[in-house]
Amino acid sequence: MHNIVQNNITINNLPKINSFLFPEEYKILPNTSELFELEFAFYESKLLTKKEIIQRGAFFKSINGQDTNHYLICSNNSPLVWKGRSEITKAYFKEGNFSTGYATHGLFPYRGKFHPQLIKGLLNMLGLQQGDTVLDPMCGSGTLNVEASVIGIDSIGVEKSPFCILMSRVKHRCLRVNHKTLNSILENMTKNYKSLMKCKKIDSEFYSESCFNNEKAITLLAFLDAMGYARRCSKSIDILFPTVLKRYVGQINSFLQVRNKLNLKIGKAKFKLGDAMSLPIDDNSIDGIITSPPYSFAIDYAENDRPQLEYLGYNVSNLGNEMIGLKGRGIKEKLDNYFNDMNKALSEMSRVLKIGKYAVIIIGSNDVQTGGIRLETKVEEMAKNHSFVLDQKITKPIRGIQNTMRDEYILFLRKN
Ligand SMILES: C[S@@+](CC[C@H](N)C(=O)[O-])C[C@H]1O[C@@H](n2cnc3c(N)ncnc32)[C@H](O)[C@@H]1O
């Protein structure tokens, strides 16, 4: 074998790439293998102080032997998450331990949700602080709101789907519950299950902002999760519901332990049923936006949640007709409508954002579906008409052989 001799470096003394990127005392998380993860770790090492990395960094394990909060939160995950699951599922959860499966992100597997660790990295890049308010105008399952709250930042989530509002609220409220609530959820499990099975019309009051009932709402989300799971695996909901609810309680409990130990101050979050094209938010009031819109019609977000929406008493077809990406017939009409709607959404993001602050948009294009039209390129062009300047663009690969989409793009748009 040849020795590669350059600056006295040879094949037998090649240094690890991390030693060039980070100071010796900085240790990155296990399983950090993707280039974009190293990129984010590098930005954190440059933009945050050591103390900040310990408190809110998303890509480091420790500094000078002191573990980061992110590492501790992820390491305390409940083993119930993968109890009784197949080997493939177990491997998936273990691998995603530091990136997707921590805090309350594992409650309800929402399709198309953010990569939570990446969102924490973005909050750090934007330099958002306690007292600031960050917005996701299409918040889905509330990933941004959970991540912001864990590092003490307040947030707002707007969504068209009432089921997403329920899910986001539960995931956020679970960060703040106490052990007494968790005990009563388990004590009343059978009684609550029977009443959910019998219920003809669900009362939405108990999952509203003002009358939110932790016990009832957490139980309802687990029930809706088990309902979807039962359809996918043809098992009965009677069998699945207790398993799902116990898994929820186990996960929340693990987070509470570490929350109390680290004395985390959880940020506030408000969720509003509304439209990204007409935001129920004041002008120039928001310190940062992080969002991921539908990637045109790649996923039908109304149809996907049909059983849950119908159980809650909503009309799925009406909802679909109001969602970005789903309007019209045929590819051309759908794409025209999509870009019109995205143009309105960009105009609204610009209106509510403070000058000089960032809207970060994560978007990918499925060329196979769009006939080669790149969504991110169009969004970049349209953003210019709404006082946005593109300061940075990061590429994130999408893994999985079933995915026809290869990359997602992270656009950093500054309001000028
Ligand atoms: C890519 S998903 C967002 C997922 C989210 N980031 C998460 O982590 O769960 C896009 C979301 O946009 C929502 N949506 C579609 N049209 C909307 C509209 N007009 N106003 C607000 N939300 C909308 C969909 O219901 C869907 O939840």
Side-chain angles (χ1 to χ4, degrees), residues 110-115 136-144 158-161 164 274-277 291-295 301-302 322-325 327:
Y110 189 59
R111 197 166 160 217
K113 82 180 175 92
F114 280 143
H115 187 276
D136 186 345
M138 294 168 255
C139 72
S141 58
T143 312
L144 167 77
V158 175
E159 237 299 330
K160 247 301 159 213
S161 161
C164 286
D275 195 333
M277 295 181 277
T291 195
S292 177
Y295 299 175
Y301 288 101
E322 292 172 355
M323 278 188 171
I324 296 178
K327 299 171 196 168

Side-chain angles (χ1 to χ4, degrees), residues 307-359:
Q308 289 81 10
L309 284 162
E310 283 181 343
Y311 180 88
L312 296 174
Y314 297 101
N315 182 310
V316 178
S317 312
N318 291 351
L319 181 63
N321 290 334
E322 292 172 355
M323 278 188 171
I324 296 178
L326 299 180
K327 299 171 196 168
R329 290 192 197 149
I331 296 180
K332 177 155 183 343
E333 194 182 318
K334 278 192 174 164
L335 281 174
D336 285 348
N337 288 336
Y338 176 72
F339 291 126
N340 271 336
D341 286 354
M342 280 303 294
N343 199 34
K344 289 183 197 152
L346 283 163
S347 155
E348 278 297 87
M349 287 186 224
S350 175
R351 177 181 69 75
V352 301
L353 199 60
K354 293 180 185 166
I355 292 174
K357 302 289 181 182
Y358 283 92

Side-chain angles (χ1 to χ4, degrees), residues 210-224:
S210 51
C211 304
F212 196 86
N213 178 312
N214 285 318
E215 179 188 318
K216 281 186 165 184
I218 296 168
T219 308
L220 174 62
L221 188 68
F223 178 82
L224 295 173

